[in-house]
Amino acid sequence: MNRTRLLAALAGAIVAVLALPALAFAGPPIPTQLSNADLTLLNGVRTAGLWEMPAGQMAAERGAHPVVRQIGATIAQQHVKLDQDVVDAANQLGVTLPTAPTAQQAGWLDEMRGASSNQEFDQIFVTRLRAAHGKIFPIIAAVRSGTRNEVVRKVAQEANTVVEGHLSMLESTDLVRFGELPPVALPEADIAGGGSLVQAAQGRAEAGSGFSPAVVWIVLIAAVVIGAANSYRVFRPRAAR
């Protein structure tokens, strides 16, 4: 009988200990307010579509190489859907999106229109789009991994797939001048922390999870000690009367 009661008490202590991490890991409710990163993604995807759709259409009509013409048509078509999805998401979230490309993006379109030959157009098209995709790709990945808004996460997931595909298509033309691409820019906070992307990711995960690993271990150890003490008091040998 004593052995049965002891096993039951130990089982209860184990269940209590296993339940503690779940309680410790539980963070605050997911906020509905959008972060600056969320807004940057929505605006960036929107303005990307506003200049890449006409750029892709120009490539489909003017490209010197069949591959460039096909890539241009595909990019324009895929941005039509992505643009509609980001507009729908913004309407759902109450966000006002840009209605025109940035001045820099408009300048790239003018540069394409002013190309002196179709061959020059191909080079400008690939160079500008490859650089632009490389710039927004890490932003999309960061928001995809860190946003707390489900609607934004879905947009980031779709944009990640689209942009990665566009990078591969543009690179397949053999017109990308990799030596002229801008260097990878890490966030200053990551560099200050030692420049390790792994360390930065771990730090962000801990910061956003609502718990401290040290606190979890302290609670676990305390629970085991208390459980052992209670079991000893219940089942310790009693002096004969």
Side-chain angles (χ1 to χ4, degrees):
M1 181 64 179
N2 287 343
R3 183 173 181 273
T4 301
R5 293 173 60 187
L6 176 59
L7 291 176
L10 290 176
I14 292 173
V15 170
V17 170
L18 292 177
L20 285 173
L23 295 175
F25 277 70
I30 297 177
T32 56
Q33 183 177 0
L34 298 178
S35 67
N36 290 334
D38 294 337
L39 295 174
T40 297
L41 172 74
L42 295 175
N43 289 328
V45 172
R46 171 62 168 166
T47 56
L50 290 174
W51 86 275
E52 289 183 34
M53 283 187 285
Q57 186 62 37
M58 275 195 284
E61 298 172 356
R62 188 177 173 181
H65 299 286
V67 172
V68 172
R69 292 196 295 270
Q70 179 60 48
I71 289 174
T74 301
I75 287 178
Q77 181 181 13
Q78 291 182 350
H79 266 291
V80 169
K81 182 182 184 305
L82 182 59
D83 185 75
Q84 185 59 57
D85 289 343
V86 75
V87 169
D88 291 343
N91 290 337
Q92 183 178 350
L93 297 169
V95 174
T96 301
L97 294 176
T99 58
T102 66
Q104 184 182 47
Q105 292 165 342
W108 294 337
L109 290 173
D110 289 339
E111 187 180 3
M112 294 178 195
R113 296 187 186 99
S116 59
S117 66
N118 291 346
Q119 287 77 13
E120 183 183 14
F121 172 88
D122 286 359
Q123 187 62 65
I124 295 173
F125 172 79
V126 171
T127 298
R128 293 305 186 192
L129 266 75
R130 175 57 180 81
H133 281 76
K135 183 177 180 180
I136 196 172
F137 191 54
I139 297 174
I140 294 171
V143 175
R144 169 65 182 85
S145 64
T147 184
R148 299 183 178 184
N149 186 282
E150 182 178 357
V151 175
V152 174
R153 188 178 304 112
K154 290 181 179 178
V155 172
Q157 177 65 47
E158 182 182 2
N160 186 79
T161 301
V162 170
V163 172
E164 186 173 16
H166 291 179
L167 286 169
S168 297
M169 286 189 287
L170 292 166
E171 291 167 359
S172 71
T173 64
D174 293 329
L175 294 175
V176 176
R177 297 170 176 171
F178 291 99
E180 298 178 6
L181 292 175
V184 177
L186 296 178
E188 293 183 3
D190 293 350
I191 297 175
S196 169
L197 292 177
V198 174
Q199 292 175 354
Q202 291 174 340
R204 287 169 180 161
E206 292 180 3
S209 60
F211 77 96
S212 168
V215 173
V216 173
W217 282 109
I218 292 173
V219 173
L220 287 174
I221 294 172
V224 172
V225 172
I226 293 172
N230 289 336
S231 298
Y232 176 77
R233 285 200 300 268
V234 173
F235 301 107
R236 65 183 176 182
R238 298 181 180 179
R241 295 180 179 178

